[in-house]
Amino acid sequence: MVVNDGGVRVGRAARTEDGACRHLLVWRAGPGWRMVSSAVLGGGLADRAWVLNAQVRPGYSRMDPDRHLAELAAGQGLVGPGVGLMTAAEVDDCTRAEDGGVTALVTTGIGVALWAADPAAAPVEYRPGTINILAVVPAAVADGGLVNLLATATEAKVQALLDAGYDCSGTPSDAVCVAVRAASSEGPADPFGGPRSRWGARLARAVYRAVRDGAELDRERRARGEPESHPLTVPGCRLPDVRGPRASAAVR
């Protein structure tokens, strides 16, 4: 079953925290969505109604990020089960790509790059520098296929980082959320989510493009210096939809 929902509308909100205005990305998905995520809030596989991606200060050290995200979600009027992601990267520089109805929205911070299986790597403390990926598929996919979509998104992320010139598989705190339509009586759910399946191939291309654009944008931002934070929230900090000049071009 494919649902034409008119696109994924992600808004930008803001709050004052740690002496500065911090922005958040909010997708008010509503009912009828099933998500799989590695997020600290709402992780796992379940029906979810919203996704929040919150920017926090560099050097963030709270040990209860799930509680913090729940507080931020409540402040945005989000109710019911949802997914909360966190990053110290600039959420204003989110990148977006679309392919065949699949949408990928990515925030990218590659301050702590590493290879996942590096035998010499020492444990590092949690730092939300982070590549956060939200991928939305407008069709019902079985739970096994949904888990496979998460793996496909991760594979596409690594491919994009390599092609952007990074020698890493990601950062220690990367998170992924993949949303599909919940199954209904209108038709069977697609059982597949690998990179050569119908929806997996589209998701892979969208995630690849959004991550590669985000990685290149992150490199440019670090070369010119991180932007200064502003102390107070102003009307321009809030946007009903982050689609705009900085969004990635559609993948064709």
Side-chain angles (χ1 to χ4, degrees), residues 167-189:
D167 184 22
C168 67
S169 59
T171 85
S173 51
D174 290 353
V176 183
C177 177
V178 180
V180 300
R181 279 299 192 180
S184 74
S185 60
E186 297 181 23

Side-chain angles (χ1 to χ4, degrees), residues 225-239:
E226 295 289 345
E228 292 185 9
S229 60
H230 51 285
L232 298 175
T233 298
V234 297
C237 293
R238 298 183 175 90
L239 292 172

Side-chain angles (χ1 to χ4, degrees), residues 99-188:
D99 190 292
V102 175
T103 299
L105 190 81
V106 176
T107 55
T108 307
I110 317 177
V112 185
L114 53 70
W115 284 104
D118 184 351
V124 296
E125 62 184 48
Y126 174 75
R127 280 193 256 173
T130 310
I131 302 167
N132 282 342
I133 299 171
L134 168 62
V136 182
V137 174
V141 178
D143 282 354
L146 178 52
V147 173
N148 207 348
L149 285 171
L150 186 142
T152 296
T154 302
E155 292 177 18
K157 177 198 74 173
V158 176
Q159 183 181 351
L161 290 171
L162 292 175
D163 288 352
Y166 286 87
D167 184 22
C168 67
S169 59
T171 85
S173 51
D174 290 353
V176 183
C177 177
V178 180
V180 300
R181 279 299 192 180
S184 74
S185 60
E186 297 181 23

